[in-house]
Amino acid sequence: MFKFGVVINLDMQNKIEEILNKSNFDKTDLVSLLNANDSDTELIFKKAAQVKSEFIGNSTYFRGLIELSNVCTKNCFYCGIRKSNTNVKRYTVTDDEVLQTVKYALDRDWGSVVIQSGERQDSAFVNRIENLLTKIRSLSSQKIGVTLSLGEQSVETYEKWLNAGATRYLVRIETSNEELFYKIHPKDNLHNFELRKKALLDLKKTGYMTGTGVMIGLPFQTIEDLADDLLFMKEYDIDMCGMGPYIEHEDTPLFEYKDLLMPVDERFKLTLKMIAVLRILMKDVNIASATALQAINPDGREEGIRCGANVIMPNITPVKYHESYNLYKGKPQIVAETDEYIRQLELQIAEAGDTVGYGKLGDPIHFEKRKKEDR
Ligand code: SAM
Ligand code: SF4
């Protein structure tokens, strides 16, 4: 019996090695990689680390994350700050506070900030962001890159914000399976799968470095769905990716399916596998090691770096707002990622074989190549 087990394991290992040696993967290959057992997963992580080192080098970039506001017009079934959650104390960070956090990132040579918020499309919001971007540009003399994660907007708005200084934009597709998309979102004009996909195309056309991502371990989600998500990212030829485990929040409609979820440590492992397989599939994109990984395991984001990610987004939102940007249970509320915390993070990044890319924008190499090919 034992020998038989060893033979099966060796066969599986050979199969994973065979797939990893291919120059491209089809859906069956991706499913096999995502289903790999723990020892085969180490082979996948090793390959992802090699690819990362060869194609983008061993720099990890810090992006200071500013959670600008939890005011949201949408009602995604999974999100703790959805419009209908009356248990949330709504807030908006002031311009002065944002500029202080940008200065914090500038003083530490981080090279980049991410502004994230609940979704609003009204003109007061659009104009405020435009003004804020102009102020950031003059404060930083363009030494700091600005990524936006402000949801779906019109092409005019994307253009306005690009002209005011933003260069990167993240819109997670959440899942590339339309049926699953409507299980985790209301089916109405505000939550529309086609429009979510169109946002990615509009952003690319407008000239942004464009990022997307998915949640991993959603109720009803299969390994085949996740393989399709990876193929979706390849097909949309994205420049950046931020994906993380789905973590349930008791004040949301999706919470009723909590008993269908795989254990959190399985979601954690699957997220690391998704990061590693994406790195092998799309060699020169930027991949963020999501905050939600850290919610499950204190060293989660560093693990992500070991498996192929090259971006970490320390939260620099003023501390008084942290508990109100409660997307999911157990979201880490670490004190503005203090200098001591950053030193620890640097050490862990060094243990993962990387150094911090201080003073560099860290734009995705994929975008630079994509632009050259477009010319
Ligand atoms: N409102 C913008 C949007 O939805 O694109 C940006 C902010 S939204 C809070 C950023 C991301 O948080 C979403 O794309 C979603 O993937 C993630 N998120 C929300 N609720 C989550 C949960 N319960 N577990 C894990 N990630 C979650
Ligand atoms: Fe709003 Fe984004 Fe949360 Fe959806 S995921 S409810 S759009 S903040």
Side-chain angles (χ1 to χ4, degrees):
M1 262 326 269
F2 177 68
K3 273 189 184 160
F4 182 60
V6 169
V7 171
I8 289 181
N9 276 343
L10 278 178
D11 271 0
M12 272 305 294
Q13 188 169 334
N14 288 341
K15 189 176 165 201
I16 295 296
E17 273 172 0
E18 203 179 292
I19 296 172
L20 290 174
N21 284 328
K22 288 185 172 185
S23 55
N24 217 343
F25 303 148
D26 61 20
K27 183 169 171 183
T28 316
D29 296 331
L30 293 172
V31 169
S32 300
L33 294 177
L34 295 174
N35 273 329
N37 63 25
D38 284 355
S39 71
D40 291 345
T41 297
E42 280 306 316
L43 294 175
I44 301 172
F45 290 170
K46 205 169 145 203
K47 176 80 179 187
Q50 272 167 11
V51 169
K52 175 174 155 184
S53 181
E54 183 180 344
F55 287 83
I56 59 166
N58 288 102
S59 289
T60 290
Y61 299 99
F62 285 155
R63 317 280 191 229
L65 174 65
I66 305 164
E67 295 167 335
L68 184 74
S69 173
N70 63 0
V71 177
C72 188
T73 52
K74 283 190 161 180
N75 252 325
C76 306
F77 289 153
Y78 43 84
C79 178
I81 61 169
R82 62 198 300 272
K83 183 184 176 192
S84 298
N85 185 6
T86 49
N87 292 333
V88 176
K89 193 170 144 219
R90 304 286 165 177
Y91 75 86
T92 298
V93 182
T94 66
D95 279 10
D96 281 350
E97 287 169 330
V98 172
L99 293 174
Q100 272 164 32
T101 63
V102 171
K103 193 162 174 330
Y104 177 95
L106 259 176
D107 288 348
R108 281 154 190 78
D109 250 352
W110 285 6
S112 235
V113 292
V114 179
I115 302 179
Q116 194 183 80
S117 170
E119 188 171 312
R120 282 176 54 184
Q121 296 174 340
D122 55 283
S123 56
F125 181 74
V126 171
N127 295 335
R128 189 223 162 174
I129 298 295
E130 186 184 19
N131 282 333
L132 188 55
L133 287 167
T134 311
K135 286 183 192 169
I136 292 175
R137 187 157 56 182
S138 64
L139 174 81
S140 69
S141 322
Q142 298 188 31
K143 275 204 211 105
I144 206 147
V146 182
T147 308
L148 298 179
S149 171
L150 305 173
E152 294 154 52
Q153 303 289 338
S154 67
V155 171
E156 294 71 44
T157 300
Y158 293 142
E159 280 168 355
K160 209 178 249 192
W161 292 348
L162 186 87
N163 292 334
T167 52
R168 313 187 191 113
Y169 207 109
L170 296 166
V171 173
R172 282 187 178 181
I173 188 71
E174 316 296 0
T175 170
S176 62
N177 175 338
E178 182 168 4
E179 209 179 309
L180 179 57
F181 185 91
Y182 287 118
K183 283 189 175 139
I184 63 168
H185 296 100
K187 199 167 190 175
D188 60 24
N189 290 340
L190 262 187
H191 308 79
N192 182 300
F193 185 60
E194 290 306 316
L195 291 180
R196 196 84 180 158
K197 287 193 291 183
K198 183 175 174 292
L200 294 174
L201 299 178
D202 287 345
L203 285 163
K204 280 177 73 180
K205 223 184 282 167
T206 309
Y208 281 94
M209 299 171 224
T210 303
T212 193
V214 294
M215 280 177 288
I216 294 153
L218 286 161
F220 313 109
Q221 190 180 45
T222 64
I223 290 291
E224 284 73 17
D225 289 333
L226 291 171
D228 281 333
D229 290 341
L230 293 168
L231 291 171
F232 173 90
M233 293 185 220
K234 177 100 177 152
E235 184 196 331
Y236 273 66
D237 200 21
I238 52 127
D239 305 303
M240 314 179 295
C241 175
M243 53 189 167
Y246 162 68
I247 304 174
E248 63 276 26
H249 187 301
E250 59 191 354
D251 293 337
T252 63
L254 217 56
F255 193 70
E256 82 171 273
Y257 301 109
K258 65 178 191 314
D259 295 336
L260 298 182
L261 300 174
M262 63 177 90
V264 278
D265 57 324
E266 292 292 315
R267 278 177 258 169
F268 180 80
K269 277 193 212 160
L270 196 50
T271 302
L272 294 181
K273 268 194 222 174
M274 283 286 283
I275 289 176
V277 178
L278 181 68
R279 170 59 65 212
I280 303 168
L281 188 69
M282 297 190 75
K283 302 180 169 21
D284 52 8
V285 294
N286 276 2
I287 305 179
S289 195
T291 313
L293 276 172
Q294 194 194 5
I296 296 179
N297 177 334
D299 298 331
R301 292 185 304 184
E302 297 74 70
E303 287 286 304
I305 295 300
R306 193 173 75 83
C307 301
N310 66 327
V311 168
I312 284 189
M313 305 198 299
N315 191 351
I316 53 170
T317 313
V319 180
K320 64 182 176 191
Y321 300 119
H322 280 202
E323 63 178 358
S324 301
Y325 203 80
N326 207 354
L327 307 181
Y328 44 78
K329 198 173 69 178
K331 185 166 171 284
Q333 282 161 18
I334 288 162
V335 183
E337 314 256 357
T338 54
D339 287 339
E340 179 48 35
Y341 177 85
I342 296 299
R343 264 190 295 279
Q344 285 299 326
L345 201 52
E346 276 174 349
L347 285 177
Q348 283 164 321
I349 288 168
E351 269 166 37
D354 272 19
T355 49
V356 180
Y358 285 118
K360 294 188 190 140
L361 289 174
D363 287 340
I365 292 175
H366 189 82
F367 176 77
E368 285 152 27
K369 286 198 196 143
R370 187 160 73 72
K371 283 283 120 189
K372 271 191 204 138
E373 281 163 19
D374 286 352
R375 270 185 224 133

